Amino acid sequence: LPKAVAVFFDWCSLDQKDAQGNRTDQERASFQGALASMQLWYAHQLTTVFMMTDPATDPASDTLVDSLSYGARGWPTFESRCAMLGKRTSQHAWPLLVDVAALGCD
């Protein structure tokens, strides 16, 4: 097994806008810096990418958080396409691109 690993959770690793749709200057700079190179995480040949393609729901009310499907959203489409670049598949290794919804996980 590797001695060091890294885990990157896209949405929760980056500063998101607050309830008023704003970020601080520091949050904005951090967010823009991540956007400039984040595709490397997805496209790298040795990363495993888990795509959360089910629509997000609010657990308190069981209502959809966003009405747009995964495939209709810009960033998820970009990220999934980057992840598809250069990923090799093999029956002798775990998959490098995983659609979690297709696994039937709840």
Side-chain angles (χ1 to χ4, degrees):
L1 294 176
K3 294 181 186 211
V5 297
V7 177
F8 172 68
F9 292 98
D10 178 344
W11 191 83
C12 58
S13 292
L14 303 175
D15 291 305
Q16 301 300 312
K17 293 179 181 176
D18 63 18
Q20 291 75 39
N22 300 312
R23 292 185 182 95
T24 67
D25 290 341
Q26 183 178 359
E27 290 171 341
R28 189 176 306 106
S30 174
F31 188 83
Q32 292 299 323
L35 288 182
S37 60
M38 164 165 99
Q39 71 278 6
L40 298 175
W41 282 97
Y42 298 106
H44 195 282
Q45 291 181 353
L46 298 178
T47 60
T48 301
V49 175
F50 293 90
M51 300 179 299
M52 310 301 282
T53 58
D54 268 348
T57 56
D58 178 355
S61 64
D62 201 32
T63 58
L64 289 177
V65 173
D66 193 334
S67 61
L68 287 176
S69 70
Y70 182 88
R73 298 178 58 89
W75 276 113
T77 299
F78 170 75
E79 293 162 352
S80 66
R81 296 311 182 258
C82 285
M84 290 177 188
L85 296 171
K87 299 278 192 233
R88 295 183 180 167
T89 59
S90 169
Q91 65 184 24
H92 305 294
W94 66 75
L96 297 177
L97 189 60
V98 180
D99 180 348
V100 175
L103 298 175
C105 299
D106 289 329

